[in-house]
Amino acid sequence: MSNQDQHRIPVFDALSQHFKENAHQALGNQQLRHNMRSAMDSLMTKRLASMSDEYEREHLRELGNHIRARALSKLPDLLEKLEANLTKQGVQVHWAETTDQANQIILEIAQRRQAKHFIKGKSMVSEELNMNHYLQHHGIEALESDMGEYIIQLDHERPSHIIVPAIHKSAKQVGHLFENKLHTQYTDDVDTLIQTGRKILRQKFFEADIGISGVNFAVAETGSLFLVENEGNGRMSTTVPPVHIAITGIEKVVENLRDTVALVSLLTRSALGQAITTYVNLISSPRKADELDGPEEVHLVLLDNGRTQAFADAQLRQTLNCIRCGACMNHCPVYTRIGGQAYGTVYPGPIGKIISPHLMGLDKTEDLPIASTLCGACGEVCPVKIPIPELLRRLREEDVRPPEETPHTVKGQGARFSRKERLMWKVWKTLNTKPALYRNFSLLATRFRALTPNIMAWSQNHSKAKPAKHTLHELARKHLGEQ
Amino acid sequence: MSNLFYDAAPNATRVAPSLPEPRQYPTEKPTDIYLFGTCVIDIMFPNAGLDAIRVIEREGIKVHYPQDQGCCGQPAYSSGYTEEAKEVARAQIKLFEHDWPVVIPSGSCAGMMRHHYKELFKDEPETLEKVNALSERIYEFGEFLLYVSKIQLKDQGPHTKIALHTSCAARREMNTHLHVRELLAQLDNVERVNHDHESECCGFGGTFSVKMTDISGAMVLDKTKALKDSGASQVVTADCGCLMNINGSFEKQNEALRGQHLATFLWLRTGGTSDE
Ligand code: SF4
């Protein structure tokens, strides 16, 4: 084992990938069901209230889609430009193909600075890296400073939502958690709970050697890292500690500052129904000589981790339009019922279903593309108009395509390939392309309706499905005569 | 206009749909139409198909039912078996030679033929041209009655409260929730009540209901509960996939409430008789 391998932490070790079992468990948890339903209802209401003018909303979505598509069409150029501009301004840019590489880059910075304490703003990419775990393994503490993330961290859980990580918990549950872990007096008053967390975190900001943040948009033209947040902890993490490391996926780049105007409005309104967040941070350099605050060093880690795979395919590329607002989750009837943790992936819900196969491979996410009725609610609300149902359908195609068949567009292709199922669809095709055969089949199905097989999975939730006495083909012929 | 989108019950899903693409409807009432019955109706709910034929005939329109029709291809398409779906679609495209409207008593199959056939044949220019022309002639049943046949319904039944369930594909691809609402509004004695989370999926999703049984079961239970709580004495839908799901669940729960296809509901409300 090489030295490097020894320090390798499997990224998803903490997550169970048995989607169906997880879902089954989650469905049995009444508290979770209740918490999720009321939280999602409230988020849906807020989104719509903040986007009540349908013409404005639809035109803005159209614009959002164009901005993202334009950025992706020039992705390599814009990334180079971003790097050049950031470097010129004194920000150090690092490239990571894999999560391991990203973790190593971060660890090296930490070791050079002899850093022992990290404070983190919210960052989904750091979840992708399983960074906390990795750093802990190397004797470094990484403390979450976003209140939701902090709660999740205290409870040794993974976030359940990309915007509101502790959304599956009620105030009572948080009260008990604080009582147990922080030994405070039990209360379920949200303000008091937040104050408790805040007091602890305040001190940590000043002790931290390194602050971590994500990035909402990386602006190529000006070399700026655009960051929105509500709690002020993001600003603290990026300005108080002497070193700031921002980490982001390579797709987050946009062409110019003007592009961010539409995108940020779409983001905040789709996410929490806010016109704008409490804080908007634009970071473009470390502290300058005449400035009073800000970090001495700023780093940006640009992560691929499978994104180039999505990028290479014109249809799947649309996945990378995502601005991580979470609206697709809030409106997804499947997510609403099982919560985010059941997915066993960093990104849950509809966006998780379309991006995880690129990050982890279809072999590890085989059930995700089929865990949808294709009802279309996700695509309907997505602020940048990602056709999520279409992409799910496409991934199903990759999921059942034989593993040996070329082209190999998605890692782990053919995870759900089954000869039996394929044969069944071939038979179905023959039936439906040979009219006489079809008529005989449907005739038999109705004549022998009493013999209809009992499909176990169906009869779990329904009475037995029974064909009618006569087919419409027959009724129509009788009614309309031979035509 | 915008009220049509949001007048659902206070706790209904507040999903705001995209703006519907404006559709041009023919100004003249056609003399003939094709009926595409769909495979679920063919085998499970043939009377819905027959009632659709009778309602359209009463408008003075001749109905043609190509006996060579089968499935539209959607089940294979949404399961990722694109090649199989394509061949089945090809077999259906051939059936509608004349320039008549093709009426489909199912929103999701209409959506498949109107929108997804284009995707299936995007690499075959000649077929695509045919498919594009066909797509313009595809109408969902309620949409056809309202905008092409310009039907005027005369309600002959007693006062009743109904809840309308629209399939997701229909709602988002065909806007049928709007068409059907308008159509039902013509019936003087029919009161349409909203139900909780009206725009949320019933959990059917074709193979989803057998592959993800647990989740699907939770969804249909919530849907049937919402329908019961609405106080409606009847559920009306224009999609037989959902109907199978919802009625199957009602029956399993020993509930008296049932769903009925829109065609049958309209036929019976306007003086038609049932032959069951
Ligand atoms: S896919 Fe669309 S709706 Fe979902 S998180 Fe991304 S941007 Fe938001």
Side-chain angles (χ1 to χ4, degrees):
Chain A
M1 208 192 253
S2 73
N3 190 29
Q4 203 171 313
D5 285 340
Q6 268 176 21
H7 297 301
R8 200 172 179 280
I9 306 280
V11 171
F12 296 99
D13 61 343
L15 302 172
S16 159
Q17 280 157 13
H18 298 286
F19 176 77
K20 276 195 189 178
E21 285 164 35
N22 299 347
H24 181 79
Q25 271 189 20
L27 287 167
N29 182 342
Q30 289 311 318
Q31 172 84 51
L32 176 84
R33 292 277 293 277
H34 173 80
N35 293 354
M36 290 302 294
R37 177 88 262 178
S38 49
M40 295 307 113
D41 282 349
S42 137
L43 287 171
M44 285 192 270
T45 312
K46 284 186 184 155
R47 168 185 175 271
L48 197 56
S50 74
M51 294 184 151
S52 55
D53 183 328
E54 71 216 52
Y55 289 92
E56 192 224 308
R57 179 183 68 233
E58 291 314 312
H59 287 118
L60 198 55
R61 286 177 70 219
E62 195 66 31
L63 179 62
N65 175 279
H66 284 303
I67 292 172
R68 291 298 299 137
R70 170 160 47 80
L72 287 177
S73 74
K74 307 177 181 175
L75 187 64
D77 281 357
L78 293 186
L79 284 169
E80 265 178 43
K81 206 173 192 180
L82 176 75
E83 179 180 30
N85 283 332
L86 282 172
T87 313
K88 207 162 58 196
Q89 289 149 201
V91 175
Q92 301 175 47
V93 179
H94 313 260
W95 300 82
E97 249 176 70
T98 62
T99 52
D100 283 344
Q101 283 174 10
N103 275 327
Q104 271 162 32
I105 291 167
I106 294 165
L107 182 65
E108 272 159 29
I109 299 172
Q111 284 169 342
R112 192 167 40 74
R113 300 281 312 198
Q114 293 175 339
K116 284 282 164 248
H117 301 280
F118 278 44
I119 189 94
K120 286 178 60 198
K122 227 184 94 48
S123 150
M124 286 313 292
V125 171
S126 78
E127 301 288 339
E128 248 179 279
L129 304 180
N130 201 4
M131 196 188 87
N132 295 0
H133 199 143
Y134 181 90
L135 290 176
Q136 198 182 14
H137 193 77
H138 290 88
I140 299 169
E141 175 203 52
L143 193 74
E144 298 288 350
S145 67
D146 171 274
M147 198 54 66
E149 290 277 359
Y150 178 65
I151 291 167
I152 295 301
Q153 191 177 32
L154 269 185
D155 217 4
H156 303 291
E157 281 184 14
R158 286 284 186 146
S160 157
H161 191 287
I162 63 173
I163 301 288
V164 264
I167 193 118
H168 59 296
K169 288 194 188 302
S170 66
K172 281 203 180 86
Q173 288 171 309
V174 176
H176 287 303
L177 178 71
F178 278 17
E179 189 184 11
N180 287 337
K181 301 270 166 140
L182 305 176
H183 313 293
T184 53
Q185 193 171 355
Y186 173 81
T187 170
D188 53 21
D189 176 61
V190 176
D191 284 337
T192 316
L193 288 171
I194 288 178
Q195 286 315 324
T196 306
R198 201 167 263 173
K199 245 180 250 146
I200 295 172
L201 289 170
R202 276 286 143 125
Q203 193 50 37
K204 294 286 184 180
F205 285 115
F206 296 105
E207 289 167 7
D209 308 303
I210 294 185
I212 295 277
S213 79
V215 174
N216 291 102
F217 312 109
V219 186
E221 186 194 43
T222 52
S224 329
L225 307 176
F226 197 112
L227 245 167
V228 292
E229 50 129 355
N230 281 318
E231 295 174 12
N233 65 315
R235 175 162 295 189
M236 300 277 267
S237 323
T238 57
T239 51
V240 179
V243 179
H244 167 210
I245 306 177
I247 43 184
T248 186
I250 49 169
E251 80 281 19
K252 284 289 186 72
V253 70
V254 294
E255 191 162 6
N256 51 48
L257 264 185
R258 213 183 53 192
D259 287 347
T260 61
V261 178
L263 292 181
V264 79
S265 160
L266 281 166
L267 172 64
T268 57
R269 293 200 282 173
S270 305
L272 300 170
Q274 291 178 298
I276 188 78
T277 45
T278 325
Y279 299 92
V280 173
N281 308 303
L282 274 145
I283 296 160
S284 49
S285 74
R287 182 197 301 202
K288 295 194 186 111
D290 56 344
E291 287 173 345
L292 293 177
D293 55 13
E296 300 150 19
E297 273 180 42
V298 177
H299 299 262
L300 174 68
V301 181
L302 287 160
L303 176 71
D304 177 356
N305 192 25
R307 287 163 172 83
T308 42
Q309 172 181 287
F311 181 76
D313 182 279
Q315 188 182 26
L316 297 172
R317 179 184 288 187
Q318 299 175 88
T319 312
L320 304 180
N321 277 346
C322 177
I323 57 172
R324 307 280 189 264
C325 70
C328 55
M329 301 169 195
N330 305 346
H331 292 77
C332 174
V334 173
Y335 175 87
T336 301
R337 284 178 178 81
I338 62 177
Q341 287 161 342
Y343 288 77
T345 52
V346 166
Y347 303 94
I351 178 60
K353 288 177 200 171
I354 59 170
I355 193 144
S356 305
H358 301 291
L359 308 185
M360 303 160 68
L362 266 175
D363 41 351
K364 299 210 175 64
T365 53
E366 51 171 320
D367 276 347
L368 294 190
I370 60 166
S372 163
T373 61
L374 300 185
C375 78
C378 50
E380 186 172 281
V381 296
C382 176
V384 287
K385 298 185 90 166
I386 302 176
I388 303 174
E390 266 172 47
L391 299 183
L392 283 172
R393 203 204 64 76
R394 168 67 194 280
L395 289 169
R396 290 178 182 188
E397 211 176 298
E398 305 295 332
D399 222 353
V400 298
R401 184 205 295 275
E404 63 280 1
E405 202 174 285
T406 48
H408 283 263
T409 325
V410 183
K411 188 165 67 184
Q413 156 188 316
R416 292 193 55 259
F417 169 71
S418 128
R419 255 170 244 291
K420 207 170 113 198
E421 191 180 284
R422 178 160 264 234
L423 185 69
M424 191 196 89
W425 285 110
K426 289 234 181 304
V427 171
W428 172 89
K429 181 196 84 178
T430 312
L431 264 178
N432 280 287
T433 45
K434 307 243 183 308
L437 215 60
Y438 172 86
R439 279 196 300 271
N440 284 332
F441 166 77
S442 51
L443 215 63
L444 286 175
T446 49
R447 287 306 173 274
F448 296 100
R449 54 204 287 261
L451 301 180
T452 312
N454 208 11
I455 301 170
M456 286 310 287
W458 176 262
S459 49
Q460 192 177 313
N461 302 315
H462 308 89
S463 61
K464 191 170 154 183
K466 237 210 234 147
K469 287 198 192 92
H470 299 279
T471 63
L472 177 59
H473 277 73
E474 290 176 87
L475 298 186
R477 190 160 46 214
K478 216 168 103 201
H479 184 82
L480 301 168
E482 289 293 339
Q483 291 184 326
Chain B
M1 179 75 182
S2 68
N3 269 347
L4 276 177
F5 290 136
Y6 313 130
D7 70 349
N11 209 15
T13 324
R14 289 146 177 107
V15 171
S18 302
L19 297 179
E21 262 176 52
R23 183 168 188 184
Q24 297 294 325
Y25 291 104
T27 43
E28 300 266 299
K29 195 160 152 180
T31 54
D32 299 72
I33 64 121
Y34 289 111
L35 189 92
F36 184 80
T38 86
C39 60
V40 176
I41 291 187
D42 191 26
I43 298 177
M44 310 297 291
F45 303 96
N47 284 320
L50 186 63
D51 293 331
I53 293 176
R54 297 198 268 216
V55 172
I56 297 171
E57 275 179 335
R58 203 177 47 194
E59 290 297 288
I61 298 170
K62 191 165 166 47
V63 178
H64 302 263
Y65 183 88
Q67 281 285 328
D68 281 357
Q69 61 181 279
C71 173
C72 68
Q74 191 186 43
Y77 184 66
S78 51
S79 302
Y81 292 89
T82 314
E83 277 314 304
E84 286 78 4
K86 193 168 165 180
E87 291 322 305
V88 168
R90 204 189 296 282
Q92 312 311 314
I93 294 164
K94 290 194 301 216
L95 305 173
F96 312 107
E97 263 171 58
H98 295 282
D99 205 14
W100 306 325
V102 179
V103 180
I104 308 183
S106 154
S108 74
C109 308
M112 174 73 190
M113 293 177 88
R114 185 161 151 78
H115 300 293
H116 300 295
Y117 275 17
K118 295 180 187 173
E119 173 67 23
L120 279 177
F121 296 101
K122 64 176 188 296
D123 299 325
E124 292 180 30
E126 258 176 53
T127 321
L128 184 62
E129 210 176 299
K130 269 194 224 151
V131 164
N132 283 338
L134 175 65
S135 143
E136 291 308 307
R137 293 195 273 139
I138 302 277
Y139 300 97
E140 187 274 330
F141 173 68
E143 177 191 27
F144 174 81
L145 291 184
L146 193 64
Y147 295 117
V148 185
S149 145
K150 302 190 182 65
I151 199 168
Q152 295 295 323
L153 295 165
K154 278 195 199 61
D155 197 355
Q156 300 187 23
H159 178 265
T160 185
K161 277 189 189 173
I162 61 150
L164 174 67
H165 171 78
T166 42
S167 80
C168 302
R171 162 182 288 273
R172 301 196 167 99
E173 288 171 356
M174 299 297 290
N175 283 301
T176 47
H177 58 306
L178 303 183
H179 306 323
V180 180
R181 279 182 192 187
E182 268 186 70
L183 195 60
L184 289 170
Q186 290 187 6
L187 297 168
D188 296 335
N189 278 328
V190 173
E191 187 187 336
R192 186 177 61 78
V193 295
N194 293 310
H195 63 275
D196 197 18
H197 293 91
E198 188 159 334
S199 66
E200 199 167 85
C201 179
C202 72
F204 178 56
T207 51
F208 176 84
S209 58
V210 286
K211 289 204 161 131
M212 295 284 158
T213 326
D214 292 340
I215 307 174
S216 173
M219 287 166 75
V220 76
L221 266 187
D222 288 349
K223 178 57 76 180
T224 48
K225 177 168 188 312
L227 288 167
K228 274 182 302 191
D229 292 350
S230 74
S233 52
Q234 164 109 62
V235 176
V236 173
T237 178
D239 290 84
C240 285
C242 312
L243 192 57
M244 219 159 71
N245 189 36
I246 290 172
N247 277 358
S249 171
F250 274 142
E251 217 175 297
K252 176 102 182 177
Q253 300 172 53
N254 286 321
E255 287 292 339
L257 194 61
R258 283 292 178 277
Q260 190 171 52
H261 191 277
L262 173 71
T264 303
F265 181 73
L266 291 183
W267 177 245
L268 297 179
R269 288 298 299 190
T270 54
T273 48
S274 154
D275 30 25
E276 272 179 296

